[in-house]
Amino acid sequence: MNRARIVAIATALSAAIMLSACQPPAAAPGPSESNTSTSSPPQTDLRIEVFADGKELSAEHRLFCAGRDPLAQSTLPAAASACQLLHDSPALLTEPTPTKQTCTMIYGGPDRATIRGTLNGISVDATFDRSNGCAIDRWDTLQSLLGSGGM
């Protein structure tokens, strides 16, 4: 090897060594970065109340989810389906109901329901009924949370 090539290789190696020495050391995970899911609250914690006759409480459930998965303390019969639905479409509970839409004037029964709590850290306070075609469709979309409803 000629002298110029040896000097070029040595310079490149020296530069690489100096650059790697300038990198900050990787930080050790702190307590908040640990992978223990038991210490963190569930991502979804909802209380669901259904009033089949529109007045008297007929069913009350809790739904706890970590992502798409229901947690053991959930009391909702279709918890797995509900967690999947809310993971894929959180706007069903977090977005306001459209007010300017044309709905069929079909009465689906006196059923009424409320859902309160948190969904992925977002506060939820939603009400549902079956007073017209749009409301029935909304209820049916959330059937895994509200039940089938209807007369």
Side-chain angles (χ1 to χ4, degrees), residues 32-51:
S32 64
E33 297 173 2
S34 67
N35 289 334
T36 58
S37 60
T38 57
S39 64
S40 62
Q43 297 170 353
T44 297
D45 177 356
L46 298 171
R47 174 188 215 110
I48 301 145
E49 297 177 327
V50 178
F51 305 83

Side-chain angles (χ1 to χ4, degrees), residues 70-137:
L71 299 179
Q73 66 262 42
S74 293
T75 62
L76 187 69
S81 299
C83 288
Q84 179 72 44
L85 175 68
L86 295 176
H87 181 271
D88 294 344
S89 304
L92 292 171
L93 293 185
T94 59
E95 296 293 320
T97 304
T99 56
K100 294 186 179 197
Q101 67 183 125
T102 304
C103 302
T104 58
M105 296 312 295
I106 298 172
Y107 181 67
D111 305 82
R112 188 174 57 84
T114 61
I115 299 178
R116 292 184 178 97
T118 57
L119 174 62
N120 299 325
I122 299 169
S123 182
V124 172
D125 187 357
T127 59
F128 305 88
D129 61 36
R130 298 177 59 82
S131 61
N132 62 42
C134 295
I136 293 168
D137 184 54

